[in-house]
Amino acid sequence: MEPVPDAFVSFGEQGAQLTYGSYLRLPQLLSAQHLESDPPAHDELLFITIHQVYELWFAQLLHELEAVRAAMTAGELWRAQHLLARAHVIERVLVQQVDVLETMTPQDFATFRQRLAPASGFQSVQFRELEFLSGAQDPGYLDRFRGLTDDESARLRRRLDEATLWDAFLAVLRDAGLPADDDEQVLASVRAVALDRDRHSAVWALAEALLQHDELAASWRARHVVMVERMIGSKSGTGGSSGAAYLRGRLPLRYYPLLWDVRSTL
């Protein structure tokens, strides 16, 4: 590959080939907020913006967690832990964004909420991809949600067929010479790792990073359900779900129950 001449400028005011706005596709990005309320409800723009930002972060998390899985599979435990640390920071941002949404009052939300039906956060395909990739695979979701496009159904089915982060972690245990063929073996192996951190420091650090990912996902679900109860009380969701009752039923979900169970054996 030939070196680029010093006189060649492909960015900024001189080059005029790539600008901040064109690189980030700002005209498309900033024109993607279409209000359904008429007359326009002031807080609907906030509602749309928050959820679009969530979807951008979900896309980034999928990008990072796919790389975490690949790193574990390749035995690059340092890289897997590094990328999980980044995912943790993003997940904390997701929790904090609820504070912004809660500046909207229930009365203001009510001015445009019915315009959203039958749309619902329950329909976020990327959020389900994150759950499937993390290890909480639920094939029944594809049957419960009838609004999936063919492309969205195919994406979720691919997630159900591919290895999860937990599958990759089990491979890490086996690579370390530890048995991981059933839950009893996995629990014993993780306990052995926990009790011999000098020998298994990288594996233990990775296990803790996965547990942190699990905990932060649980924190988001808990924060989310309280926000929903504050906004709509016990009303049904716009997509037909039971609203807060459905969300509360999701609170016990754990991606890696064995990593939690091992605490009781130490």
Side-chain angles (χ1 to χ4, degrees), residues 136-210:
Q137 295 190 319
D138 180 8
Y141 174 77
L142 278 73
D143 298 324
R144 291 195 299 273
F145 177 40
R146 301 174 183 176
L148 290 172
T149 66
D150 290 342
D151 176 68
E152 290 169 337
S153 292
R155 280 165 50 194
L156 288 174
R157 291 190 188 283
R158 283 196 298 271
R159 293 292 181 193
L160 290 172
D161 291 337
E162 67 187 26
T164 66
L165 293 181
W166 183 245
D167 293 326
F169 179 70
L170 296 183
V172 167
L173 289 178
R174 295 186 185 105
D175 288 344
L178 297 162
D181 293 332
D182 55 41
D183 286 356
E184 185 177 352
Q185 287 186 356
V186 172
L187 190 62
S189 292
V190 175
R191 185 174 187 275
V193 166
L195 295 177
D196 191 357
R197 287 175 289 175
D198 288 337
R199 182 181 176 188
H200 298 296
S201 59
V203 178
W204 174 250
L206 184 58
E208 287 292 273
L210 285 171

Side-chain angles (χ1 to χ4, degrees), residues 31-46:
S31 62
Q33 297 75 42
H34 299 282
L35 277 62
E36 294 292 331
S37 55
D38 185 20
H42 177 82
D43 282 5
E44 189 178 0
L45 178 60
L46 173 67

